[in-house]
Amino acid sequence: QSFSPTTEARLQAVLDAFQAEYRTGGMAAAINVDGLAVWEGATGFASQEIDWTSPTFALKQSGIPFTTNTLSRIYSVTKTFTAALILELVNEGALNLNDPISKFFDIENYNPQLNGDVTIHQLLSHSSGFSDFLTNPALLGAVSQNPTKIWSPIEVLAFAGKENEPDAIRKYSNTNYIILGIIIETVTGKPVEQSF
Protein backbone atom coordinates (compact mmCIF):
# COMPACT_ATOMS: atom_id res chain seq x y z
CA GLN A 1 0.00 0.00 0.00
CA SER A 2 1.00 3.60 -0.14
CA PHE A 3 0.12 6.98 1.26
CA SER A 4 -2.48 9.07 -0.53
CA PRO A 5 -1.20 11.18 -3.46
CA THR A 6 -1.82 14.31 -1.38
CA THR A 7 0.27 13.00 1.53
CA GLU A 8 3.03 11.83 -0.82
CA ALA A 9 3.14 15.28 -2.43
CA ARG A 10 3.39 16.92 1.02
CA LEU A 11 6.19 14.56 2.07
CA GLN A 12 8.11 15.30 -1.13
CA ALA A 13 7.61 19.05 -0.61
CA VAL A 14 9.10 18.80 2.89
CA LEU A 15 12.09 16.87 1.55
CA ASP A 16 12.60 19.39 -1.27
CA ALA A 17 12.32 22.34 1.14
CA PHE A 18 14.92 20.82 3.49
CA GLN A 19 17.33 20.22 0.62
CA ALA A 20 16.84 23.76 -0.70
CA GLU A 21 17.31 25.39 2.72
CA TYR A 22 20.33 23.40 3.85
CA ARG A 23 21.85 22.74 0.39
CA THR A 24 22.49 19.09 1.15
CA GLY A 25 23.32 18.33 -2.49
CA GLY A 26 21.13 15.28 -2.74
CA MET A 27 19.33 12.96 -0.39
CA ALA A 28 16.65 10.33 -0.12
CA ALA A 29 14.21 9.41 2.64
CA ALA A 30 11.78 6.62 3.27
CA ILE A 31 8.82 6.10 5.59
CA ASN A 32 7.51 2.63 6.35
CA VAL A 33 4.51 2.40 8.68
CA ASP A 34 4.54 -1.26 9.74
CA GLY A 35 4.49 -2.29 6.09
CA LEU A 36 0.99 -0.83 5.75
CA ALA A 37 2.07 2.36 4.05
CA VAL A 38 5.41 2.99 2.38
CA TRP A 39 6.79 6.15 0.82
CA GLU A 40 10.18 6.87 -0.74
CA GLY A 41 11.36 10.21 -2.03
CA ALA A 42 14.55 11.80 -3.32
CA THR A 43 15.68 15.31 -4.07
CA GLY A 44 18.71 17.21 -5.33
CA PHE A 45 21.67 15.85 -7.25
CA ALA A 46 23.97 12.86 -6.90
CA SER A 47 26.51 14.74 -9.00
CA GLN A 48 26.18 18.43 -9.68
CA GLU A 49 27.78 20.51 -12.41
CA ILE A 50 30.08 23.38 -11.43
CA ASP A 51 29.98 26.81 -13.01
CA TRP A 52 33.71 27.28 -13.65
CA THR A 53 33.10 30.84 -14.94
CA SER A 54 31.78 32.12 -11.61
CA PRO A 55 34.28 33.59 -9.10
CA THR A 56 33.13 31.11 -6.42
CA PHE A 57 32.75 28.10 -8.75
CA ALA A 58 29.07 27.88 -7.84
CA LEU A 59 27.08 24.72 -8.32
CA LYS A 60 24.68 24.76 -11.24
CA GLN A 61 21.10 23.63 -10.80
CA SER A 62 21.75 20.70 -13.10
CA GLY A 63 23.53 17.38 -13.02
CA ILE A 64 22.71 13.77 -12.24
CA PRO A 65 19.53 13.61 -10.14
CA PHE A 66 19.64 11.91 -6.75
CA THR A 67 17.20 8.97 -6.73
CA THR A 68 16.03 6.51 -4.09
CA ASN A 69 18.49 4.02 -5.65
CA THR A 70 21.53 6.32 -5.49
CA LEU A 71 24.26 4.83 -3.33
CA SER A 72 25.81 7.30 -0.92
CA ARG A 73 28.13 7.15 2.03
CA ILE A 74 26.55 7.81 5.40
CA TYR A 75 29.78 8.78 7.13
CA SER A 76 29.20 9.96 10.70
CA VAL A 77 25.52 9.06 10.72
CA THR A 78 26.81 5.64 11.78
CA LYS A 79 27.91 7.21 15.07
CA THR A 80 24.27 7.70 16.04
CA PHE A 81 23.53 4.02 15.39
CA THR A 82 26.73 2.94 17.15
CA ALA A 83 25.90 4.97 20.26
CA ALA A 84 22.34 3.62 20.32
CA LEU A 85 23.61 0.06 19.97
CA ILE A 86 26.14 0.55 22.78
CA LEU A 87 23.37 1.86 25.04
CA GLU A 88 21.18 -1.11 24.11
CA LEU A 89 24.03 -3.46 25.08
CA VAL A 90 24.34 -1.57 28.38
CA ASN A 91 20.58 -1.98 28.90
CA GLU A 92 20.92 -5.73 28.24
CA GLY A 93 23.77 -5.96 30.77
CA ALA A 94 26.35 -6.99 28.15
CA LEU A 95 28.58 -4.05 29.09
CA ASN A 96 28.80 -1.03 31.35
CA LEU A 97 29.57 2.58 30.44
CA ASN A 98 32.45 2.51 32.95
CA ASP A 99 34.05 -0.57 31.39
CA PRO A 100 37.57 0.12 30.11
CA ILE A 101 38.61 -0.75 26.56
CA SER A 102 41.03 -3.32 27.99
CA LYS A 103 38.09 -5.45 29.14
CA PHE A 104 37.33 -6.19 25.48
CA PHE A 105 40.70 -6.16 23.72
CA ASP A 106 44.30 -5.16 24.35
CA ILE A 107 44.36 -1.86 22.47
CA GLU A 108 47.92 -1.15 23.60
CA ASN A 109 48.99 -4.26 21.69
CA TYR A 110 47.90 -2.54 18.47
CA ASN A 111 49.01 0.97 19.42
CA PRO A 112 51.02 1.61 22.63
CA GLN A 113 49.98 5.28 22.57
CA LEU A 114 46.33 4.38 23.21
CA ASN A 115 45.30 3.97 26.85
CA GLY A 116 43.37 0.77 27.58
CA ASP A 117 41.89 2.35 30.73
CA VAL A 118 39.74 4.72 28.65
CA THR A 119 36.07 3.89 29.26
CA ILE A 120 33.14 3.33 26.95
CA HIS A 121 31.61 6.55 28.31
CA GLN A 122 34.74 8.52 27.38
CA LEU A 123 34.67 7.05 23.86
CA LEU A 124 30.98 7.93 23.43
CA SER A 125 31.50 11.50 24.64
CA HIS A 126 34.71 12.14 22.64
CA SER A 127 36.65 12.68 25.83
CA SER A 128 39.12 9.79 25.44
CA GLY A 129 42.05 12.03 24.54
CA PHE A 130 42.68 9.99 21.37
CA SER A 131 43.52 11.81 18.16
CA ASP A 132 41.42 11.35 15.03
CA PHE A 133 43.20 8.77 12.87
CA LEU A 134 41.77 10.43 9.73
CA THR A 135 43.82 13.60 10.36
CA ASN A 136 47.14 11.76 10.47
CA PRO A 137 49.16 12.57 7.30
CA ALA A 138 50.74 9.11 7.54
CA LEU A 139 47.33 7.59 6.77
CA LEU A 140 47.10 9.61 3.57
CA GLY A 141 50.54 8.37 2.58
CA ALA A 142 49.63 4.76 3.38
CA VAL A 143 46.41 4.99 1.37
CA SER A 144 48.20 6.56 -1.60
CA GLN A 145 50.71 3.70 -1.55
CA ASN A 146 47.93 1.11 -1.58
CA PRO A 147 44.71 2.78 -2.82
CA THR A 148 42.66 -0.42 -3.19
CA LYS A 149 43.36 -1.74 0.30
CA ILE A 150 40.38 -2.03 2.62
CA TRP A 151 41.60 -1.06 6.07
CA SER A 152 40.28 -2.99 9.06
CA PRO A 153 39.29 -1.12 12.23
CA ILE A 154 42.28 -2.61 14.06
CA GLU A 155 44.66 -1.46 11.29
CA VAL A 156 43.53 2.17 11.39
CA LEU A 157 44.25 2.34 15.12
CA ALA A 158 47.93 2.51 14.19
CA PHE A 159 47.26 6.04 12.86
CA ALA A 160 45.76 7.35 16.12
CA GLY A 161 47.65 8.79 19.05
CA LYS A 162 47.23 10.39 22.43
CA GLU A 163 46.45 14.11 22.35
CA ASN A 164 45.17 14.65 25.88
CA GLU A 165 44.50 12.85 29.12
CA PRO A 166 41.07 11.19 29.32
CA ASP A 167 38.33 13.67 30.33
CA ALA A 168 40.68 16.67 29.90
CA ILE A 169 38.68 18.02 26.95
CA ARG A 170 36.02 16.87 24.51
CA LYS A 171 37.30 16.69 20.97
CA TYR A 172 35.64 14.96 18.04
CA SER A 173 37.59 11.88 16.98
CA ASN A 174 36.55 9.12 14.61
CA THR A 175 38.96 6.85 16.49
CA ASN A 176 36.52 6.69 19.42
CA TYR A 177 33.75 5.18 17.33
CA ILE A 178 36.07 2.79 15.52
CA ILE A 179 36.95 1.40 18.96
CA LEU A 180 33.27 1.24 19.95
CA GLY A 181 32.63 -0.80 16.80
CA ILE A 182 35.38 -3.23 17.81
CA ILE A 183 33.83 -3.51 21.27
CA ILE A 184 30.39 -4.22 19.76
CA GLU A 185 31.88 -7.00 17.61
CA THR A 186 33.68 -8.48 20.62
CA VAL A 187 30.53 -8.49 22.77
CA THR A 188 28.10 -9.72 20.11
CA GLY A 189 30.45 -12.09 18.31
CA LYS A 190 29.38 -10.82 14.89
CA PRO A 191 30.30 -8.03 12.46
CA VAL A 192 29.04 -4.66 13.69
CA GLU A 193 26.92 -4.08 10.58
CA GLN A 194 24.88 -7.20 11.42
CA SER A 195 23.97 -5.75 14.82
CA PHE A 196 22.24 -2.60 13.57
Side-chain angles (χ1 to χ4, degrees), residues 14-151:
V14 168
L15 194 61
D16 292 339
F18 184 89
Q19 190 274 337
E21 182 175 349
Y22 295 102
R23 298 177 179 258
T24 58
M27 64 180 182
I31 298 174
N32 183 334
V33 182
D34 295 329
L36 300 174
V38 178
W39 172 81
E40 294 179 343
T43 187
F45 300 97
S47 177
Q48 208 163 352
E49 295 176 7
I50 298 173
D51 181 358
W52 297 104
T53 63
S54 78
T56 59
F57 304 116
L59 294 174
K60 294 181 180 180
Q61 288 303 309
S62 60
I64 299 169
F66 201 97
T67 71
T68 56
N69 293 320
T70 300
L71 293 178
S72 61
R73 298 180 185 273
I74 60 173
Y75 294 105
S76 289
V77 173
T78 59
K79 288 181 178 66
T80 304
F81 294 105
T82 300
L85 185 52
I86 287 286
L87 294 176
E88 182 60 35
L89 291 170
V90 167
N91 190 47
E92 292 173 4
L95 49 83
N96 185 293
L97 291 177
N98 294 318
D99 285 341
I101 297 168
S102 60
K103 181 176 179 179
F104 305 97
F105 72 105
D106 187 3
I107 193 168
E108 294 169 32
N109 224 20
Y110 301 100
N111 185 334
Q113 295 182 54
L114 302 181
N115 181 350
D117 292 331
V118 165
T119 66
I120 290 172
H121 180 267
Q122 290 165 332
L123 295 169
L124 284 169
S125 63
H126 292 289
S127 59
S128 67
F130 298 157
S131 67
D132 189 340
F133 74 94
L134 287 174
T135 63
N136 186 339
L139 175 64
L140 187 58
V143 170
S144 68
Q145 292 295 317
N146 196 352
T148 60
K149 177 179 174 59
I150 297 173
W151 295 82

